[in-house]
Amino acid sequence: MRDALRPATLARAAWSYVRRAPGTFTWLAILFVTSVIMHHLAPDTLDHVLQRRSTNINNLLHSPGRVLLTSALWLGGGNWLYYFVLYNVFHVPAERWLGTRRWLAVMGVTHIGATYLSEGILALAIHTGAAPHSAVDTLDVGVSYAMAGVAAVLTYRLPWRPLRYVYAAGVLVFYAIPLFDNLTFTDIGHLSAALLGLACYPFTPGRQHRHMRTAGTRPKQWPRTRAGDPSGPSNPGHV
């Protein structure tokens, strides 16, 4: 017990924990740096910096790739420690389960998809007069869309199917409730991201194996041959 509390042992355990989700902790490190920058900028300067990175309608029309990436590197609300806890609850298990590349794919689908869906609805509201034209420059930065998508895709991590339904319903209800109280395009984006996360089932590990098992296919096997038949496979006992 005493050995487990030694600084070197604790450091190795922490490093082992971090390196199993490299993408999540790299992202958290970037968010820590940008959060420190935010706290040291004057309000007018900060507003200018965030507007340059906002996925509003104007920026999506002129530099979509740049703002879709940089908007996810700044926190739109809440302090860094709050997101540190949320990332360890949702992103860490998701990245370990999916693998870094598939985890990134889920985040890309949900962050980009929810951004375009929500901003598209806002553009329609502006066109019909339901929202002012100034809304084309509405500030929209943060990591919440990716968070909603990852939280939703973790549905398929649960081994017991009835529990999956309960969890998925809980995620959808959580993001649907704000739609009935002072609806904003961000609320639409959150629910869209959760739905897109549920649609990311094809990215989940073992899906192909489950599909083959459901279809009744079996792994390819060598045909049986008579002893001494030279046309059959070689004896696996001789290499």
Side-chain angles (χ1 to χ4, degrees), residues 78-172:
N79 60 49
W80 182 83
L81 286 175
Y82 169 74
Y83 284 98
F84 179 82
V85 173
L86 288 181
Y87 272 49
N88 279 272
V89 172
F90 295 106
H91 282 291
V92 167
E95 185 178 1
R96 290 177 177 177
W97 170 53
L98 295 169
T100 300
R101 285 185 293 182
R102 283 183 290 191
W103 168 75
L104 285 170
V106 169
M107 289 200 304
V109 168
T110 55
H111 173 65
I112 296 172
T115 295
Y116 273 103
L117 282 170
S118 59
E119 293 293 340
I121 291 174
L122 179 60
L124 180 62
I126 294 172
H127 179 73
T128 58
H133 187 270
S134 59
V136 296
D137 291 316
T138 299
L139 183 63
D140 185 19
V141 297
V143 300
S144 57
Y145 290 170
M147 180 68 72
V150 167
V153 80
L154 280 173
T155 296
Y156 307 114
R157 182 71 176 86
L158 300 173
W160 191 40
R161 190 175 295 272
L163 187 57
R164 289 184 182 183
Y165 298 141
V166 174
Y167 177 84
V171 170
L172 294 178

Side-chain angles (χ1 to χ4, degrees), residues 210-222:
R210 291 192 297 268
H211 175 73
M212 290 175 62
R213 184 174 59 190
T214 302
T217 58
R218 295 181 178 178
K220 186 177 180 180
Q221 297 178 344
W222 288 104

